[in-house]
């Protein structure tokens, strides 16, 4: 039985078209021009987990063809961040992509994407430099630049991003809107493990003890949700309750905002967002709730 699974897996990897050479851009463009019907695109940095799989499956259900990219984008990492040690698992990722319904996998080397002295995208001066952008100045310039390049290459009908990276999703939506891009940006729900931990490639860095500590992050959001269900809406009270839950961790921020990331005094259901970032040991984790 196990043997057969292995055989099927090998066949699946062989059947998945993957372009990865320096010429990969030309190869991708050629493969893309042969595609007909709608195209769903899922950009990733690899180390795929169930969250990515669900994005790829959704893209597969909603489109005729699916392109997935795996590119650990150097320009979105700040000096001293985890670019070098970011998990890279190409073989496992290929299998997962195929099994979730990917038709074309794009694995470009850095030099296929970036050249010298070229235009870049600048994140909005306010919403791109608060929260994650404040902790990691320039991070969203790198994200928006690579996403614009990848959207230009894949020219998808729809592109899929997780709500877990709420600020990234909001800024990409705004870029697609204000740069008049033809792609529809689709937001997918955050997947959590049974105990509440939001799925993230960075969870791999956590020891067992740190993983238990990290649960405080989702628990703080569940506490906010409990208070909101009880009828509480004042941001200050909700934030204070969340900070109590998060107290053992190093909190980077707790923010209660509208869907354009502007701080608000009171939650309005269907229009608000609660965002948290905290460090567990050396690992920085983010989570959020769309209220
Ligand atoms: O969310 C990610 O994995 C990355 O920020 C993205 C969107 C693939 C751009 O590198």
């Amino acid at each position: 039985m196990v043997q057969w699974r292995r055989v099927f897996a090998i066949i699946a990897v062989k059947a998945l078209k993957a372009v990865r050479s320096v010429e990969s851009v030309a190869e991708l463009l050629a493969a893309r021009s042969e595609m007909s019907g709608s195209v769903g695109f899922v950009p990733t940095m690899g180390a795929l987990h169930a969250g990515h799989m669900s994005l790829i499956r959704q893209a597969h259900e909603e489109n005729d063809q699916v392109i997935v990219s795996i590119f650990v984008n150097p320009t979105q990492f700040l000096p001293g961040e985890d670019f070098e040690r970011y998990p890279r698992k190409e073989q496992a990722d290929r299998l997962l992509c195929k099994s979730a319904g990917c038709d074309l996998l794009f694995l470009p080397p850095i030099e296929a994407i970036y050249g010298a002295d070229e235009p870049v995208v600048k994140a909005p001066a306010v919403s791109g430099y608060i929260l994650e952008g404040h902790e990691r100045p320039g991070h969203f310039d790198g994200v928006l630049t690579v996403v614009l390049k990848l959207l230009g290459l894949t020219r998808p009908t729809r592109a899929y991003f997780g709500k877990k990276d709420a600020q990234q999703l909001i800024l990409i939506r705004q870029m697609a809107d204000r740069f008049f891009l033809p792609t529809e940006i689709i937001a997918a729900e955050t997947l959590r493990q049974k105990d509440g931990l939001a799925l993230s490639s960075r969870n791999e860095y956590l020891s067992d003890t740190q993983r238990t500590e990290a649960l405080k992050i989702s628990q703080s959001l569940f506490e906010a949700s409990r208070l909101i269900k009880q009828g509480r809406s004042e941001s200050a009270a909700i934030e204070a309750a969340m900070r109590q839950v998060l107290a053992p961790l190093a909190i980077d921020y707790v923010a209660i905002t509208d869907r354009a990331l502007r701080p608000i005094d009171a939650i309005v259901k269907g229009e608000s967002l609660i965002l948290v970032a905290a460090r567990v040991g050396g690992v920085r984790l983010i989570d959020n709730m769309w209220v």
Side-chain angles (χ1 to χ4, degrees), residues 111-122:
E111 54 278 22
I113 296 295
Y114 289 112
D117 192 27
E118 58 178 22
V120 292
V121 181
K122 188 95 186 105

Side-chain angles (χ1 to χ4, degrees), residues 43-45 52 71 73 76 86 143 146-147 161 165 168 172:
T44 80
M45 297 208 298
H52 298 109
F71 180 63
N73 172 36
Q76 70 189 77
Y86 195 85
V143 170
V146 81
V147 169
F161 297 88
D165 293 305
Q168 165 173 288
I172 290 171

